[in-house]
Amino acid sequence: MNSHAVYTFFDLVGTFTFAISGAVAARQRRLDLFGIAAVAFMVACGGGIVRDVCIGAIPPAGLSNWRYLASSLAAAAVTILAYPQVRRLRQPVLFFDAIGLGLFAVAGAQKALVYSHNAELAILLGTVSAVGGGVMRDVMLSRVPAILEREIYASAALFGAGVQVGFSYAGWTDWWTPWFATLACVMVRLASMRFGWRLPIFQGRRAADRHDMP
């Protein structure tokens, strides 16, 4: 399997796992069949569409390649038909979201490199690929996006994309490098949820701001 096929595979697996997270969240909000399918597709392909537009990959793969739509619809169907089994997973939305986060961060960063963009842009667009769909999901479901809270979410995607870009610039293009970078991102995300890692907030200043408000 060549490198292009590997990263296409990563993109499709990330699409499927992100779509499951979106479908589960939509199902929990009691949306109808169309609502579940729409949220699943938006979560699965939204970040990738933004990435492709930014790097000049027009039309975006999420809109021009039927496999992405099929993957998101398949994930929605699995969630609808096997929802009791999916619910048995501990915090299923966060679990599948963590897997999709890692897969999209790595695939997105590598695709930017393939289109001859520099390391900085590759890392940023890898992060956008990973978090964009989750932001769209949360906005559609009237929730505060995870990247605006204290959770280690975008930071984990940034880390995974950075690891992948670092491997590429070091000339390490073996089969294991994308898996390692993906695992690094997923483990950081899952560990942050398990151990309660959070980014710092500035409570003193926020409290002072509230006190100064009329």
Side-chain angles (χ1 to χ4, degrees):
M1 184 179 291
N2 59 39
S3 60
H4 176 72
V6 169
Y7 290 105
T8 299
F9 171 77
F10 266 57
D11 230 12
L12 289 173
V13 174
T15 297
F16 185 83
T17 54
F18 257 167
I20 287 182
S21 77
V24 170
R27 178 68 173 77
Q28 290 174 340
R29 288 299 182 96
R30 300 182 181 276
L31 300 188
D32 62 12
L33 178 63
F34 178 80
I36 294 173
V39 172
F41 177 77
M42 187 62 67
V43 174
C45 300
I49 290 172
V50 172
R51 173 202 65 207
D52 288 352
V53 170
C54 289
I55 66 177
I58 304 297
L63 299 178
S64 62
N65 190 330
W66 65 268
R67 294 178 180 86
Y68 291 91
L69 176 60
S71 295
S72 63
L73 293 180
V78 168
T79 303
I80 293 170
L81 297 175
Y83 185 65
Q85 289 73 26
V86 174
R87 284 189 61 190
R88 292 194 183 103
L89 294 172
R90 183 177 180 270
Q91 296 180 313
V93 174
L94 296 178
F95 177 76
F96 286 112
D97 194 70
I99 297 174
L101 189 76
L103 291 168
F104 269 28
V106 171
Q110 185 61 28
K111 188 168 185 177
L113 290 176
V114 168
Y115 275 75
S116 301
H117 294 289
N118 59 29
E120 178 185 359
L121 189 60
I123 293 173
L124 290 176
L125 289 181
T127 305
V128 168
S129 300
V131 305
V135 171
M136 294 178 187
R137 175 199 63 210
D138 293 340
V139 170
M140 291 176 71
L141 298 178
S142 300
R143 306 190 309 195
V144 177
I147 64 170
L148 300 182
E149 297 182 315
R150 292 185 296 158
E151 294 185 6
I152 304 297
Y153 187 77
S155 303
L158 192 69
F159 178 68
V163 170
Q164 177 61 25
V165 171
F167 281 149
S168 296
Y169 270 72
W172 295 352
T173 56
D174 295 326
W175 65 268
W176 57 269
T177 55
W179 295 105
F180 184 91
T182 300
L183 182 62
C185 176
V186 173
M187 292 306 295
V188 168
R189 174 61 178 151
L190 294 179
S192 70
M193 293 189 294
R194 173 64 178 82
F195 299 107
W197 298 344
R198 296 289 187 270
L199 294 177
I201 60 174
F202 305 98
Q203 292 181 333
R205 179 58 182 270
R206 188 168 62 179
D209 291 342
R210 287 200 302 267
H211 179 73
D212 292 339
M213 291 177 61

